[in-house]
Amino acid sequence: MGMVDVLSHTLPTNLGYIAAYAMREGFDLEVWDYELEHFLAVKFLERVRDVQPAVIGFSCMTPTIVNGHHIATLVKRHFPHVITVVGGAHSSALPERTLEEFPFFDLVVNQEGEETFLEICRIVRDGDPVRGLVGTTWRDGKMIIREQSRPFIKDLDAIPFPARELYHMVGKQSGHSSRGFSNKLKSTEIFTSRGCPYKCTFCAITATFERTLRLRSPGNVFAEIEDVQKRFDIDHFVIADDTFGLEKGRLETLCEGFRSLGVKSWNCDTRVDCVTPEILRLMKESGCAKVAFGIETGSPRVVALNKKKIDLERAREAVHWAKEAGIKHIEGNFIIGSHPDETPKDLELTAKMIRELPLTFVSISVIVPYPGTPNYEIMMERGHIYSTDWSEYVMFGKAPGWRTEHFSPDDLLRYQKRLNRAFYLNPDYMLHMLLSIRSFSELGYYLKAGKAFIKWVGGGDVMSEGADKMDISDEGFYPAFVSR
């Protein structure tokens, strides 16, 4: 955890899917979310002792893989018979290296997890060793073996809805589900698709889904919305697709369904070439309260280097169309150093574009060379990556342990703060946002986020208290006794 008053805090919906897939066959699962709860080693070990799991799975992105392994180390120290499984974008990109670096993970689930994790549960239940399983990387003595990839699930409608009952604690998260939507709202995430066919050099999605795109049927999406509305009384849906609306005609069908189902509010991320004025009006009418566009740069040269395949004039049009449609929040996502060859001149074009667009929010991050991305390969080849501490691979909150061709680590951080400061501390912007507030709850949200932001741009530490300080001491844990 960290910077939760500035960044989004999402639910473990990926784990909800994996859990539901195994629960359908009678397996008992629990989801423990240590982005929601502060991790205390003794309390964790007591839970493990009381539950007595046969398998513990860890979902780790690049900056959380180190802490994930800290927890796996505790498990193996006290419960060596428990199988520890790790999955996620990082281990999928570097499966062999993950097992080399982190000896207390027993095996990696490569890429999509539902089928493979279910098969692991079956094997362990039957008392057999987990060896040679398709879709895994595992240890055979001192050897590390990567098995062939498991085919992706073709029919997403065949996957049960996420087991939200295992993790859905409305109002317990800090920060926001998406900028502009406090986690005090009754919100949840929903995926209508998996994957993205584009080849952006900075994006790590290829590690998990390669360059595939699979879509759920609109009817299946609507059935999940109805189920969630009945069980959780949801006020806001976060459409968590990597890119919403890629198939022509599908976005319109989904919007019609959202409207028919009485969806109160929803937001999404999409491409500027997926929307038209008509589509954006339909989105607004169906409850869309925010749309975020991935633009990344204001330089046509860098767009081409990124292989983003968008036209910047279309980006300008899309933002203005969203404004004209009356969508409350419009966000532009930008990256400092989105390609390693970006220059100061390119960055000035980005700053100019941000100034000119009628955006409600911006996300201006620093490039992170995530394993599995072309940028990682380029920067490794050039010797521009200095740090192998994966916990430092974050877009906000820490000075990067890498450089690009034209920017030092300090340059990257300085430009990030400069562009964020120019946008959010603009007096006209602050007055506009103040006048848009409609409740004390909303006022409290913006005041808290604003305070954290000002502290960050001023050089202060805005990590949540204890966020980087997991309590991994097992002193005081007694395996045979319940601690009172």
Side-chain angles (χ1 to χ4, degrees):
M1 287 184 65
M3 292 190 72
V4 294
D5 295 323
V6 177
L7 304 181
S8 300
H9 182 142
T10 57
L11 295 166
T13 308
N14 58 330
L15 297 181
Y17 271 117
I18 292 171
Y21 208 79
M23 290 165 66
R24 186 169 60 180
E25 289 209 12
F27 291 101
D28 294 324
L29 285 95
E30 296 185 11
V31 173
W32 301 351
D33 183 3
Y34 288 110
E35 287 198 3
L36 176 62
E37 303 176 54
H38 181 56
F39 183 84
L40 299 171
V42 172
K43 293 293 185 184
F44 167 77
L45 291 168
E46 289 174 352
R47 290 175 81 177
V48 175
R49 179 198 57 209
D50 294 344
V51 173
Q52 298 183 25
V55 179
I56 296 181
F58 299 82
S59 176
C60 298
M61 304 298 281
T62 296
T64 59
I65 191 78
V66 173
N67 279 346
H69 187 252
H70 285 326
I71 301 174
T73 303
L74 290 168
V75 172
K76 285 299 188 180
R77 182 182 301 157
H78 295 281
F79 308 99
H81 61 283
V82 173
I83 305 298
T84 53
V85 180
V86 64
H90 183 86
S91 56
S92 290
L94 301 174
E96 295 95 340
R97 181 170 172 180
T98 295
L99 294 188
E100 290 169 359
E101 284 187 77
F102 303 114
F104 294 106
F105 291 136
D106 290 321
L107 69 156
V108 170
V109 170
N110 304 329
Q111 301 182 311
E112 193 168 67
E114 285 88 353
E115 287 277 7
T116 305
F117 189 77
L118 172 59
E119 189 64 24
I120 292 169
C121 291
R122 289 171 179 155
I123 292 169
V124 174
R125 176 196 60 194
D126 296 341
D128 296 324
V130 185
R131 300 168 59 90
L133 180 61
V134 170
T136 65
T137 301
W138 58 288
R139 304 176 192 281
D140 186 6
K142 294 185 178 180
M143 293 179 59
I144 293 175
I145 300 172
R146 181 176 183 174
E147 301 295 342
Q148 69 182 47
S149 297
R150 184 180 292 272
F152 294 128
I153 298 170
K154 290 183 179 180
D155 181 10
L156 295 185
D157 289 3
I159 302 175
F161 303 150
R164 288 182 172 86
E165 65 273 15
L166 299 183
Y167 62 85
H168 206 277
M169 301 172 68
V170 170
K172 298 295 185 181
Q173 299 96 337
S174 300
H176 47 240
S177 57
S178 180
R179 285 177 190 82
F181 303 97
S182 167
N183 269 325
K184 300 303 179 185
L185 280 173
K186 298 177 182 178
S187 66
T188 195
E189 296 175 358
I190 188 167
F191 289 85
T192 81
S193 68
R194 289 187 179 182
C196 177
Y198 290 92
K199 300 178 181 179
C200 303
T201 62
F202 49 80
C203 183
I205 191 174
T206 181
T208 305
F209 296 128
E210 298 178 0
R211 294 300 173 194
T212 64
L213 175 67
R214 289 164 294 151
L215 307 170
R216 295 171 61 189
S217 70
N220 186 253
V221 174
F222 301 152
E224 181 178 354
I225 289 174
E226 288 185 287
D227 177 70
V228 170
Q229 287 174 325
K230 290 175 183 176
R231 296 170 62 202
F232 297 102
D233 188 28
I234 292 299
D235 293 323
H236 181 80
F237 286 90
V238 177
I239 306 298
D241 298 19
D242 293 288
T243 302
F244 184 57
L246 282 175
E247 185 178 82
K248 188 175 181 180
R250 183 171 179 270
L251 195 157
E252 294 93 321
T253 300
L254 290 172
C255 286
E256 292 289 358
F258 295 164
R259 183 162 56 182
S260 298
L261 290 167
V263 171
K264 299 174 186 177
S265 174
W266 60 276
N267 72 278
C268 69
D269 287 30
T270 191
R271 287 173 58 91
V272 298
D273 51 12
C274 286
V275 297
T276 64
E278 295 74 24
I279 288 174
L280 287 161
R281 284 195 293 270
L282 183 58
M283 290 169 63
K284 161 65 176 173
E285 291 166 5
S286 67
C288 181
K290 177 184 171 184
V291 59
F293 296 112
I295 302 172
E296 282 75 48
T297 177
S299 165
R301 188 184 77 89
V302 178
V303 170
L305 289 171
N306 285 341
K307 300 183 180 179
K308 177 77 177 184
K309 294 188 176 180
I310 62 169
D311 179 80
L312 289 178
E313 185 55 38
R314 179 60 179 265
R316 293 182 177 90
E317 290 176 339
V319 172
H320 283 281
W321 292 339
K323 180 78 172 176
E324 292 164 4
I327 293 175
K328 182 177 181 180
H329 298 311
I330 309 162
E331 181 172 309
N333 296 330
F334 299 88
I335 303 174
I336 307 297
S338 60
H339 189 275
D341 288 328
E342 184 176 64
T343 67
K345 184 177 179 180
D346 294 315
L347 201 51
E348 287 306 316
L349 292 174
T350 299
K352 181 175 183 291
M353 188 172 193
I354 293 171
R355 288 195 301 270
E356 293 173 348
L357 292 177
L359 296 164
T360 316
F361 303 112
V362 293
S363 169
I364 305 172
S365 60
V366 165
I367 185 61
V368 179
Y370 290 119
T373 65
N375 280 356
Y376 176 77
E377 301 300 329
I378 295 169
M379 293 167 72
M380 282 291 291
E381 185 178 329
R382 296 180 182 180
H384 287 168
I385 298 177
Y386 316 135
S387 174
T388 56
D389 179 356
W390 300 119
S391 65
E392 296 181 354
Y393 280 56
V394 293
M395 295 179 177
F396 293 87
K398 293 185 178 181
W402 50 87
R403 61 163 297 131
T404 62
E405 196 67 30
H406 300 282
F407 300 120
S408 70
D410 288 342
D411 290 336
L412 291 168
L413 189 60
R414 187 176 71 254
Y415 276 112
Q416 180 192 28
K417 291 189 175 184
R418 177 184 134 193
L419 267 63
N420 272 288
R421 187 166 49 240
F423 181 84
Y424 284 110
L425 299 186
N426 181 300
D428 291 339
Y429 173 82
M430 290 191 289
L431 178 62
H432 169 76
M433 293 304 295
L434 186 63
L435 294 175
S436 72
I437 292 171
R438 294 292 180 267
S439 69
F440 286 111
S441 175
E442 198 174 6
L443 176 63
Y445 162 72
Y446 281 116
L447 287 175
K448 192 173 183 181
K451 180 180 177 182
F453 175 80
I454 291 171
K455 189 174 181 181
W456 172 65
V457 296
D461 180 8
V462 295
M463 302 299 286
S464 296
E465 186 176 350
D468 259 358
K469 301 167 184 158
M470 286 177 56
D471 178 0
I472 59 173
S473 171
D474 55 2
E475 184 177 353
F477 173 65
Y478 303 100
F481 302 96
V482 176
S483 176
R484 298 291 182 184

